[in-house]
Amino acid sequence: MDSDLTRTWRRMRPEPRLLHLDSAAAGRSSWAVLDAVTTHLRAEASDGGYVAAAAAAGTLDTARAHVLELLGWETGTVALVHSAHDALHRLLLGWGADLPVTVLHAAGEYGPNLAVLQELGVGSASVEDRHAGGRHTPDPAAFASAIARQRPDLVHLTALGSHVGTVQPVEEVVAVCHAAGVPVVVDAAQSFGHVDATTSADVVYGTSRKWLAGPRGAGFVAVRTGVAQRLGLSRDPEPREPQEASIAARVGFAAALAQHVDLGPAAVRAGLAARGRRTREQLAELPGWEVVEALDEASATVTLRPPAGVDPAGVRARLIAEDGIVTTAAGVERAPGEMTGPVLRVSPHLDATDADVDRLAAALARQG
Amino acid sequence: MDSDLTRTWRRMRPEPRLLHLDSAAAGRSSWAVLDAVTTHLRAEASDGGYVAAAAAAGTLDTARAHVLELLGWETGTVALVHSAHDALHRLLLGWGADLPVTVLHAAGEYGPNLAVLQELGVGSASVEDRHAGGRHTPDPAAFASAIARQRPDLVHLTALGSHVGTVQPVEEVVAVCHAAGVPVVVDAAQSFGHVDATTSADVVYGTSRKWLAGPRGAGFVAVRTGVAQRLGLSRDPEPREPQEASIAARVGFAAALAQHVDLGPAAVRAGLAARGRRTREQLAELPGWEVVEALDEASATVTLRPPAGVDPAGVRARLIAEDGIVTTAAGVERAPGEMTGPVLRVSPHLDATDADVDRLAAALARQG
């Protein structure tokens, strides 16, 4: 691991008051992000909200360009929205003349995404999961078979789950879908700024607050230019960017993107993968708890199946209250088609150390 | 006018860099609001976003109680949402088993609200406007006749328009609707914290950023407890509060509400009404421009019809660029059923002075 990057990342932000192993929930913002938000709010108070917004337009355009750069796209439109959840909602409402009728997804699809489909009356179907309870990796061939049986309007793929740190084979699934002429929408909320987000998918959406450690209340949806033909639509999807929003949060997101690009996305990625690998190695020795991912999975999202009879929600609460350690308890509602029980999610960022993870391991051992 | 309140209001917030006569667009936040937002963001960075959110729960509960207090309701549920626009969207989606089918509204209804109805496929009808081009006051009897002809699922009323500062007869319309058993939803985005917001309506929604001068990116929707019977619904509407949002903006909104309650809503109201009256008196003498409201209208939203051939959008831009004065140009899209041309909106808060309005008048005279 690049300890320079670790030190840099740590120095860029306030000292943690708690041991924060929860970047998959919300990363810790940097001083630059906090300053960007605060400076914008101050400008709103002295110049008026809309004068300040006009002055921030260039900053937000740069943010949009950074999103495209991280996706590896030469052209596309980027709408800044309230959150990843909001992004999916707006994407579907802006899909075309009508909502898509059917969406095909993996068995491990994020539960709240399925709820958005249901709320808007969009039908959805899951590909057969050949690896149920196994490695959490959907089989691209299963997408091909499912599409051949009943062609969906689009395939929705969550590039990295909320419930497991296994990187999904996005490009393989996209290849299969595009061969069949089916557009692919990727939920990059957990993957953006974390694992490689370059993709040939048609639409990608994500959030500010997780691995990029921008503020809460901002997200994006990116639509590749000219996908209408592939999508079989009369025009490219046009998710409406909300005019009334926290522009300060968007400006903070812009600062987080700029810092990420400046640090080097590849270096951040490598650092997070190394931290995830090391974390799993350390936690694999913990009696009773089972690491869900392959130990060398190239992500910093680490999930632990609890010992029999142990409730991760209770463990999470005690870790905060008694040990000052922040993690997430992920219930089956996060991936109702795949999870068989709740897990404890540990998601360190670059500033975490072996000693931090040892501290978590000791706390878990005490609880056990 | 209470000059103590004027001075207090001014001292509570940063010095304006521009002459801000634009509170109907976005008010200038106070130091306390800026500090509340910044402190929460700092807590997110040091404690983690969700630990910080849990710690803010009591503050947000107080904010909800303040909303109910300002509405004069003993009980009700308050969801904190992204904006007033978002509130209407969520309200309709959470209406009941199904969306409402038909909504009756005044001729002067806010255009973007009508767009939300259209986007969600909700039918809408306008009451006959007996005062077209006139005093912008819908006739409660016209609501009674329209309901008798074709009973809507609900009546939607914008208590104070974006395009004119004429306070709408909310309680009279509510009485007529309730007599016919029709529920009333009130858009209080422009009225909340500005004119009397106590109401016997069934649902009220509004925003943080305007007259309360809270941050952008927060709003509310309040549902009176037990209205399901009157609404003819199987349950009370349950607008879903977005879990992913700028909690910092909500905390800032809470601070703005607390300050408003502390200053005294009645005193703020009286001060704004006096400032609006005085502003209209000053601007009524301006050659070419015509004050739209009755001069003594009890609001601080002042609208001016331009001299023939003068475009308010251009005037607004020049006022900012050349005179450092912030106002709003309101196009007919703000009230497509009532406006016949664009207007210039002048919306001072308590800190504006006669000299400020004289400065605006001189700048407009120069432009003319």
Side-chain angles (χ1 to χ4, degrees):
Chain A
M1 295 190 50
D2 179 346
S3 57
D4 280 352
L5 188 58
T6 293
R7 273 194 297 272
T8 300
W9 178 265
R10 191 179 302 131
R11 286 172 182 155
M12 286 167 68
R13 62 205 69 237
E15 277 291 306
R17 193 177 65 86
L18 305 171
L19 173 52
H20 186 267
L21 301 173
D22 205 24
S23 292
R28 298 197 308 107
S29 286
S30 68
W31 293 115
V33 166
L34 296 175
D35 182 60
V37 176
T38 305
T39 301
H40 186 78
L41 290 170
R42 187 72 169 67
E44 288 185 332
S46 63
D47 302 359
Y50 296 87
V51 172
T59 299
L60 300 188
D61 281 343
T62 302
R64 292 186 185 92
H66 280 151
V67 168
L68 293 179
E69 181 181 337
L70 291 169
L71 296 175
W73 294 4
E74 289 195 7
T75 59
T77 59
V78 178
L80 300 176
V81 298
H82 298 303
S83 67
H85 184 273
D86 181 53
L88 177 56
H89 194 101
R90 287 172 187 278
L91 173 67
L92 294 170
L93 284 176
W95 189 252
D98 297 298
L99 289 169
V101 176
T102 55
V103 172
L104 182 69
H105 57 80
E109 182 55 55
Y110 184 50
N113 287 345
L114 300 176
V116 172
L117 299 177
Q118 192 172 24
E119 183 181 42
L120 295 178
V122 176
S124 69
S126 174
V127 296
E128 185 189 345
D129 185 0
R130 300 189 181 185
H131 306 285
R135 293 199 51 235
H136 301 274
T137 309
D139 183 354
F143 276 88
S145 313
I147 291 172
R149 274 197 307 277
Q150 184 162 20
R151 186 192 167 82
D153 292 316
L154 65 89
V155 162
H156 181 281
L157 195 62
T158 294
L160 187 61
S162 169
H163 65 299
V164 63
T166 306
V167 181
Q168 303 293 284
V170 174
E171 288 310 283
E172 290 84 339
V173 173
V174 170
V176 158
C177 295
H178 282 182
V182 173
V184 181
V185 172
V186 169
D187 174 352
Q190 289 288 354
S191 61
F192 202 70
H194 179 188
V195 303
D196 189 0
T198 62
T199 178
S200 39
D202 304 287
V203 179
V204 179
Y205 64 93
T207 190
S208 153
R209 79 179 189 281
K210 294 179 183 293
W211 297 94
L212 287 169
R216 295 182 70 178
F220 71 87
V221 50
V223 179
R224 196 188 276 277
T225 303
V227 291
Q229 287 175 301
R230 179 183 289 144
L231 297 172
L233 295 172
S234 55
R235 57 171 178 78
D236 289 350
E238 291 173 2
R240 197 170 39 79
E241 184 167 289
Q243 300 209 331
E244 259 322 300
S246 174
I247 306 301
R250 292 183 186 171
V251 169
F253 180 32
L257 281 162
Q259 287 196 307
H260 181 72
V261 168
D262 180 56
L263 280 174
V268 171
R269 222 149 56 214
L272 288 172
R275 175 46 57 202
R277 200 159 50 234
R278 181 73 191 122
T279 300
R280 288 188 202 93
E281 285 165 5
Q282 290 177 262
L283 295 177
E285 294 164 18
L286 196 63
W289 293 85
E290 182 192 351
V291 174
V292 178
E293 299 84 17
L295 295 191
D296 64 350
E297 187 66 43
S299 83
T301 299
V302 175
T303 47
L304 298 171
R305 261 191 221 103
V310 172
D311 170 30
V315 171
R316 186 246 179 200
R318 286 191 297 276
L319 283 173
I320 292 173
E322 298 170 14
D323 303 288
I325 303 175
V326 187
T327 60
T328 286
V332 295
E333 70 283 358
R334 300 213 179 202
E338 186 169 270
M339 292 177 82
T340 52
V343 296
L344 188 73
R345 187 180 66 191
V346 179
S347 51
H349 215 299
L350 294 173
D351 54 348
T353 63
D354 286 7
D356 290 338
V357 178
D358 280 342
R359 196 175 134 196
L360 169 68
L364 286 174
R366 263 199 310 281
Q367 287 209 16
Chain B
M1 294 189 53
D2 179 348
S3 57
D4 279 352
L5 189 59
T6 294
R7 273 195 297 272
T8 299
W9 177 266
R10 190 180 301 131
R11 286 172 182 156
M12 285 169 69
R13 60 207 69 239
E15 276 292 307
R17 193 177 65 85
L18 305 171
L19 173 52
H20 187 267
L21 301 172
D22 206 25
S23 292
R28 300 197 308 106
S29 287
S30 68
W31 293 115
V33 166
L34 296 174
D35 182 60
V37 177
T38 304
T39 300
H40 186 78
L41 290 170
R42 186 74 169 65
E44 289 185 333
S46 63
D47 302 358
Y50 297 88
V51 172
T59 299
L60 300 188
D61 280 343
T62 302
R64 292 185 186 92
H66 280 150
V67 168
L68 293 179
E69 181 181 335
L70 290 169
L71 296 175
W73 294 4
E74 289 194 8
T75 59
T77 59
V78 178
L80 300 175
V81 299
H82 298 302
S83 67
H85 184 274
D86 182 51
L88 178 56
H89 194 102
R90 287 173 187 277
L91 172 66
L92 294 169
L93 285 176
W95 190 251
D98 297 298
L99 288 170
V101 176
T102 56
V103 172
L104 182 68
H105 57 81
E109 182 53 56
Y110 184 49
N113 287 346
L114 300 175
V116 172
L117 298 178
Q118 192 171 26
E119 183 182 42
L120 294 178
V122 177
S124 68
S126 174
V127 294
E128 185 189 344
D129 184 1
R130 300 191 181 183
H131 305 283
R135 294 197 52 235
H136 300 276
T137 309
D139 183 354
F143 275 88
S145 313
I147 291 171
R149 275 198 305 278
Q150 184 162 19
R151 187 193 165 82
D153 291 317
L154 64 91
V155 162
H156 181 280
L157 194 61
T158 294
L160 187 61
S162 170
H163 66 298
V164 64
T166 307
V167 180
Q168 303 292 285
V170 174
E171 288 310 283
E172 290 84 340
V173 173
V174 169
V176 159
C177 296
H178 282 181
V182 173
V184 181
V185 172
V186 169
D187 174 352
Q190 289 289 354
S191 61
F192 202 70
H194 179 189
V195 302
D196 189 1
T198 61
T199 179
S200 41
D202 305 286
V203 179
V204 180
Y205 64 92
T207 189
S208 153
R209 79 180 189 281
K210 294 181 184 292
W211 297 94
L212 287 169
R216 295 181 69 179
F220 71 86
V221 49
V223 179
R224 196 188 276 276
T225 303
V227 291
Q229 286 173 303
R230 178 183 290 144
L231 297 172
L233 295 171
S234 55
R235 57 170 177 78
D236 289 351
E238 292 173 2
R240 197 169 39 79
E241 183 167 290
Q243 300 210 329
E244 260 321 300
S246 174
I247 305 301
R250 292 183 187 171
V251 169
F253 180 31
L257 281 162
Q259 287 196 309
H260 181 72
V261 168
D262 181 54
L263 279 174
V268 171
R269 223 149 55 214
L272 288 171
R275 174 46 57 202
R277 201 160 48 233
R278 181 73 191 122
T279 299
R280 288 189 202 93
E281 286 165 4
Q282 290 178 261
L283 296 176
E285 295 164 19
L286 198 63
W289 294 85
E290 182 192 351
V291 175
V292 178
E293 299 83 18
L295 295 192
D296 64 349
E297 186 67 43
S299 82
T301 299
V302 175
T303 48
L304 299 172
R305 263 192 218 101
V310 172
D311 171 29
V315 171
R316 186 246 178 202
R318 285 191 296 277
L319 284 174
I320 292 173
E322 297 170 13
D323 303 288
I325 303 175
V326 187
T327 61
T328 287
V332 294
E333 70 282 358
R334 300 214 178 199
E338 186 171 87
M339 292 177 81
T340 54
V343 295
L344 188 73
R345 187 181 65 192
V346 179
S347 51
H349 215 299
L350 295 174
D351 55 348
T353 63
D354 287 6
D356 290 338
V357 178
D358 281 341
R359 194 175 136 197
L360 169 68
L364 286 174
R366 262 199 311 281
Q367 286 209 17

